[in-house]
Amino acid sequence: MDPVTEARAPEPLTDYAHRVSRKVRAFDQRHPLLWDLHFTGFWVTAALIDYTGRGWRHNAHNLDVPGWLLLTLSLGLSVPLLRRRTHPGTVLAAMAPFALVNAWTGAALQAALLQLVVIYHIALRRSLHNLWWATALMLTPVFVSVVRYGEGTWDQQIGSQLMSITVAALIGITVRTRRNYTEALEDRARRLETERDQQAQLATAAERARIAREMHDIIGHNLSVITGLADGGRYAAAKSPERAGQALDAIATTSRQALTELRRLLDVLREEEKNRADLTPQPGLTDLDQLLDGVRSAGLTVRTTTHGTPTLPPGRQLTVYRVIQEALTNTLKHAGPGATAEIELSYEERAAVTVDITDTGNGRRTDDDPLRAGRGLPGMRERTALYDGTLEAGPRPHPEQGWRVRLHLPEETPQ
């Protein structure tokens, strides 16, 4: 079939009926009273047509029923439908006397069948045990009619009425079951949507916490290097202008690196660039040499000792890198002139690692030290806790001078 012809194919009847049904239900939800007035008005009109057109005579057992009584019965069996949805049990009880008089007088008005509409709503909106008394209430006029006029056999009259009641009740139960199932699906969809939003919020909070740690590590380290270079350049300016120029060049390079790192992290906060920013690689052990070169250029002598072969996954490499960076940053800030630092890395099997960072400074830390307040030590501990590791930070034992930070990440647990 040609695609254009297929696109213009008539809409299937089931789809059309489903679409119309949705529109009717939507209108009913917006204007329930208006819909009830239309529905009740239709059946009141039908009952009055049956009365005025004398169509009731075709089924009547008694043709001498007064006109005022026929009018009363027609209205009594149709008008109560206005409250069928909110009070179906009350409506059926209100219609029962009219149905009983209808059977007793032999009028046999067809409006009595409107009780089946109420049976449907009882099955749809009320507890199903209400169907027992509702069935008994509807069968009573049948017994009266059979006893009084004796037309037809008991099984025909009772069986026919029971079949009608059963069909009406089954339709109500089916619609009720489908409605409950639809509501359950909608509720589940809402809960899943809420859970998805909560997970997204948690992921956003975790990402922002990671960004805060990265910004603290990067900016704190680079500013400490810049400060050390500036202090060295100031002393060198009077004696060796060439050395002062080198210090200024190093400050410019370090500042550019800090700005680049800062822009990269801030890009993560932009929703439209998040995917691209997340792909940016994090520093690892291969970047340690560059980190140490920057620290040495700031005037801090650093020696490194390595035991074993580094076989760490990227996450553990980042943790080791950031802990070393933070420890050296605080050495630059607080160790004082002439201090040196030493890093000892011990790699073990299954990605276990121990890192010792020591310096020969005065060993004192002020109250505003990031290792005591702020994001320094908490950030290092958070990174360590991700791998069930331990982190120790404090003065070296007497008589040694300086500060010591020790990181240990245990073996990876097989999944």
Side-chain angles (χ1 to χ4, degrees):
M1 180 182 295
D2 182 71
V4 177
T5 305
E6 184 177 0
R8 296 177 180 175
E11 183 179 15
L13 181 61
T14 54
D15 292 345
Y16 176 78
H18 186 63
R19 182 162 54 85
V20 172
S21 176
R22 285 202 308 269
K23 291 182 178 180
V24 171
R25 287 197 301 269
F27 178 83
D28 184 24
Q29 291 175 356
R30 293 193 302 269
H31 311 286
L33 180 59
L34 185 60
W35 174 257
D36 287 340
L37 287 172
H38 278 79
F39 182 87
T40 305
F42 173 82
W43 289 113
V44 169
T45 303
L48 292 178
I49 290 175
D50 184 52
Y51 154 64
T52 57
R54 299 186 178 277
W56 62 276
R57 291 177 173 272
H58 297 291
N59 299 310
H61 304 301
N62 179 15
L63 301 180
D64 298 327
V65 181
W68 63 268
L69 182 57
L70 291 173
L71 177 61
T72 302
L73 293 177
S74 298
L75 295 176
L77 291 171
S78 57
V79 173
L81 290 178
L82 183 64
R83 305 300 299 275
R84 73 196 183 281
R85 292 199 287 188
T86 56
H87 302 84
T90 303
V91 169
L92 187 63
M95 297 171 70
F98 296 96
L100 190 61
V101 173
N102 181 51
W104 179 264
T105 59
L109 293 174
Q110 296 298 305
L113 295 177
L114 293 176
Q115 294 177 98
L116 295 175
V117 176
V118 185
I119 290 291
Y120 162 81
H121 282 280
I122 290 177
L124 178 64
R125 305 175 188 278
R126 295 292 181 263
S127 177
L128 295 183
H129 72 266
N130 291 321
L131 290 173
W132 293 107
W133 66 261
T135 301
L137 205 61
M138 283 197 64
L139 289 178
T140 300
V142 178
F143 282 106
V144 171
S145 179
V146 172
V147 171
R148 184 169 174 77
Y149 297 100
E151 292 188 9
T153 61
W154 284 83
D155 57 342
Q156 288 177 340
Q157 297 292 332
I158 301 299
S160 175
Q161 186 73 340
L162 277 176
M163 180 64 68
S164 301
I165 295 172
T166 301
V167 171
L170 286 177
I171 294 175
I173 293 172
T174 301
V175 174
R176 179 178 186 169
T177 302
R178 179 178 176 83
R179 178 178 297 177
N180 292 340
Y181 178 71
T182 303
E183 290 176 354
L185 290 179
E186 292 176 350
D187 180 67
R188 181 183 179 187
R190 283 192 297 269
R191 287 188 285 106
L192 289 175
E193 184 176 357
T194 301
E195 182 179 353
R196 181 199 63 191
D197 293 341
Q198 291 175 346
Q199 292 293 335
Q201 293 174 0
L202 290 175
T204 301
E207 181 66 10
R208 290 181 180 273
R210 184 189 70 81
I211 294 170
R213 290 195 300 268
E214 297 294 329
M215 290 178 67
H216 170 272
D217 295 339
I218 293 169
I219 296 174
H221 171 75
N222 285 285
L223 288 179
S224 297
V225 172
I226 291 172
T227 301
L229 290 170
D231 289 339
R234 183 181 60 183
Y235 291 115
K239 299 180 180 180
S240 178
E242 182 180 354
R243 293 286 301 276
Q246 293 175 354
L248 291 175
D249 290 340
I251 289 174
T253 301
T254 305
S255 299
R256 292 190 188 95
Q257 292 176 350
L259 286 174
T260 301
E261 291 288 335
L262 184 58
R263 290 192 186 100
R264 180 180 64 80
L265 288 173
L266 292 179
D267 282 344
V268 181
L269 298 177
R270 301 176 185 173
E271 189 65 26
E272 69 274 8
E273 297 180 9
K274 184 174 181 181
N275 292 333
R276 178 182 60 81
D278 285 343
L279 296 176
T280 305
Q282 295 293 328
L285 296 178
T286 56
D287 300 297
L288 271 180
D289 291 338
Q290 183 179 355
L291 173 67
L292 297 179
D293 289 342
V295 173
R296 292 186 181 111
S297 66
L300 178 64
T301 301
V302 182
R303 293 187 297 270
T304 60
T305 305
T306 304
H307 305 285
T309 303
T311 56
L312 301 181
R316 292 189 172 221
Q317 290 188 37
L318 178 61
T319 299
V320 172
Y321 180 93
R322 291 305 187 197
V323 169
I324 293 176
Q325 184 184 50
E326 181 66 29
L328 294 178
T329 297
N330 283 278
T331 298
L332 284 170
K333 288 181 178 180
H334 305 289
T340 62
E342 183 173 350
I343 303 172
E344 183 176 356
L345 298 98
S346 301
Y347 300 104
E348 304 170 18
E349 295 181 354
R350 295 173 60 180
V353 62
T354 302
V355 183
D356 279 290
I357 307 104
T358 58
D359 63 55
T360 58
N362 55 31
R364 294 189 300 272
R365 297 294 187 264
T366 60
D367 291 338
D368 61 349
D369 176 18
L371 284 176
R372 289 187 176 273
R375 293 296 308 169
L377 185 57
M380 295 164 68
R381 292 197 185 282
E382 289 173 5
R383 294 182 185 278
T384 305
L386 291 175
Y387 302 99
D388 299 324
T390 58
L391 181 72
E392 302 173 6
R396 299 173 67 183
H398 186 75
E400 296 177 335
Q401 293 282 331
W403 195 264
R404 175 175 179 266
V405 175
R406 186 176 190 274
L407 166 71
H408 177 69
L409 302 182
E411 296 179 354
E412 281 189 314
T413 303
Q415 299 296 325

